[in-house]
Amino acid sequence: MKILSYFDRVSLRELAVVDAVFIASVVSILALGIVMVSSASISISESIHGHPYFFMGRQFLYLILGLLFGWVLLSLPTEQLQKWGVWMMALSLLLLILVLVPGIGKSVNGSRRWINLVVFNLQASEVAKVCMVVYISGYLVRRADRVRKGLIGFILPLCLCGVFLLFLLLEPDFGASVVLLGTVMALLFLGGAPLYQFLALMAMTVVVLGGVAVSESYRMKRLMNFIDPWADPFNEGYQLSQALIAYGRGEWFGLGLGNSVQKLSYLPEAHTDFVFSIWVEETGMAGGLFLIVLFGIMVARAFKIGHRALELAKPFSAYMCFGFAILILAQVIINIGVNTGFLPTKGLTLPLISYGGSSLIITLGSLFVVARVDIENKRDQRALVSADGQMIKGKMS
């Protein structure tokens, strides 16, 4: 079949030598995610579905789908992703448009962000973020000189990003907009965009996002509640104040797994956006720091794999690794910032930890692509060593 010609199978021997620290950090976070979804969702699962482990079962299903999806991507050469970058970008834009169409897009809590795929609800913004990283990575390779020397090469991808942001804000999904724009800006900077252009864009971005933030009354309320949640702890500031109570209960070493009080219908979204608060309540500050360190290790190893690809003259693979690492890092920072009251409340999941099919499957897919880059790096290294050995042997003979 023609479709099979696009793939390049990875052997078990190659899989066994993928960066062990990277794999260990991903597996550890996934395991903690299953544990925390199981613990944090007991109350809401019982009240809605009459079964305490309904959401845990669903999350385990999403994990299996994510691993299958990731395995497909692991067998896909990065050069094929580079060829498909424009089409992936177009597909993700189409999904952002479709999600706003009545009868196709699914609305939850006033936001229309999902498309019902029966098995799970596909969140269009999750697809858009990953596809944009693939497209921008290819753009930085194709238009490297324009990005580094000309203003137009810097502005064009930002105009495209602006179109994506427009549809994201119509959902509305302000959190995903910030993450997407921040990732694109970071990739352009890593791609060699002049510093003065980057700083000017940052200033413009702050002004624009500030204007968007104050343009809607509900966003202003969130900002005010973030500054002082205790001013209205039983209404607008309820969610954040309950999250802060969870931290107070957890202290240094927590109440023990399964012993959270806040998950018993006190803290809304305890198994999704605010799962980190439940984790800290049950494992304490020590557990929270441990999880942050695991994320730090995973992101650092992804950057290392990307850096090695750059050394091997594979900029597209490098930019993808950098982009996926930045995406995850940005979501971790924003989610934990929201949970701890350092940032205004935003509907962003904690990658690999929070309940949700789209986030888990898409994030796992991006991590499998990073693993694919590591495999290709090692293939190229072996080829270089073999070529050097043959050259030396030829000279000696």
Side-chain angles (χ1 to χ4, degrees):
M1 293 177 64
K2 185 177 179 180
I3 191 170
L4 294 179
S5 64
Y6 295 126
F7 294 92
D8 173 31
R9 289 181 59 187
V10 173
S11 68
L12 292 177
R13 179 176 296 179
E14 289 178 315
L15 193 60
V17 296
V18 174
D19 191 311
V21 177
F22 175 72
I23 296 298
S25 61
V26 173
V27 171
S28 298
I29 295 171
L30 282 171
L32 293 179
I34 292 293
V35 170
M36 282 318 299
V37 168
S38 173
S39 176
S41 66
I42 286 178
S43 178
I44 188 171
S45 184
E46 181 73 45
S47 62
I48 295 177
H49 301 284
H51 189 285
Y53 298 112
F54 174 83
F55 288 109
M56 185 199 74
R58 296 281 293 184
Q59 187 76 347
F60 194 74
L61 173 62
Y62 299 151
L63 175 59
I64 293 174
L65 292 175
L67 291 174
L68 292 174
F69 178 59
W71 185 258
V72 172
L73 291 178
L74 189 68
S75 303
L76 190 66
T78 54
E79 63 182 21
Q80 199 63 54
L81 287 175
Q82 186 173 2
K83 293 177 182 178
W84 292 348
V86 174
W87 294 106
M88 292 174 65
M89 179 271 298
L91 173 63
S92 62
L93 183 58
L94 176 62
L95 290 175
L96 289 177
I97 296 172
L98 288 177
V99 82
L100 298 174
V101 177
I104 298 178
K106 181 179 179 181
S107 182
V108 178
N109 295 330
S111 297
R112 189 179 292 274
R113 304 176 185 174
W114 297 268
I115 297 174
N116 191 348
L117 298 183
V118 182
V119 178
F120 69 97
N121 293 320
L122 178 66
Q123 190 168 351
S125 61
E126 294 289 341
V127 179
K129 288 182 287 189
V130 170
C131 289
M132 181 60 79
V133 166
V134 176
Y135 172 77
I136 293 296
S137 297
Y139 178 85
L140 290 173
V141 175
R142 295 190 305 272
R143 302 287 185 265
D145 290 338
R146 289 187 181 182
V147 172
R148 293 167 184 165
K149 299 178 182 178
L151 182 62
I152 190 68
F154 181 71
I155 294 297
L156 282 177
L158 292 175
C159 292
L160 175 63
C161 184
V163 176
F164 276 69
L165 296 181
L166 173 64
F167 286 105
L168 285 172
L169 291 173
L170 288 174
E171 294 183 5
D173 194 342
F174 187 69
S177 303
V178 173
V179 170
L180 180 64
L181 179 58
T183 302
V184 171
M185 289 174 59
L187 280 175
L188 289 172
F189 179 71
L190 292 172
L195 182 60
Y196 73 90
Q197 292 181 1
F198 184 74
L199 293 176
L201 179 63
M202 283 188 65
M204 291 173 56
T205 301
V206 170
V207 172
V208 171
L209 292 180
V212 172
V214 301
S215 63
E216 296 287 349
S217 59
Y218 80 90
R219 293 190 185 122
M220 278 301 297
K221 286 182 179 179
R222 283 187 174 183
L223 284 172
M224 297 306 295
N225 293 329
F226 138 73
I227 295 171
D228 185 12
W230 303 108
D232 190 10
F234 298 106
N235 191 17
E236 297 295 338
Y238 179 79
Q239 194 168 29
L240 180 54
S241 61
Q242 293 299 315
L244 295 176
I245 289 173
Y247 291 117
R249 291 182 186 277
E251 297 184 350
W252 283 105
F253 299 104
L255 302 176
L257 284 175
N259 292 328
S260 166
V261 175
Q262 295 305 104
K263 70 184 181 185
L264 303 176
S265 302
Y266 290 103
L267 177 59
E269 310 296 339
H271 61 307
T272 55
D273 299 345
F274 281 82
V275 69
F276 185 74
S277 299
I278 304 301
W279 167 254
V280 174
E281 185 183 7
E282 296 189 348
T283 64
M285 185 64 69
L289 292 174
F290 174 70
L291 183 56
I292 292 172
V293 168
L294 282 179
F295 274 116
I297 292 172
M298 182 178 73
V299 168
R301 300 306 288 196
F303 268 104
K304 183 177 180 180
I305 293 170
H307 181 67
R308 183 56 184 152
L310 207 56
E311 292 177 337
L312 293 168
K314 299 191 298 180
F316 173 75
S317 297
Y319 292 138
M320 274 203 309
C321 289
F322 297 155
F324 293 146
I326 292 167
L327 268 181
I328 292 173
L329 180 62
Q331 290 180 92
V332 169
I333 291 174
I334 293 176
N335 181 274
I336 294 178
V338 167
N339 273 248
T340 54
F342 283 99
L343 293 173
T345 303
K346 288 283 157 266
L348 278 177
T349 58
L350 186 59
L352 307 180
I353 298 291
S354 296
Y355 173 79
S358 293
S359 177
L360 182 58
I361 294 171
I362 299 299
T363 302
L364 266 177
S366 67
L367 293 172
F368 269 86
V369 172
V370 174
R372 172 74 195 198
V373 172
D374 190 43
I375 289 171
E376 292 183 357
N377 287 347
K378 289 180 168 62
R379 285 179 179 177
D380 291 347
Q381 286 175 306
R382 286 196 299 271
L384 287 173
V385 171
S386 177
D388 291 342
Q390 290 178 0
M391 185 179 299
I392 293 172
K393 184 177 179 181
K395 289 180 178 179
M396 291 178 64
S397 61

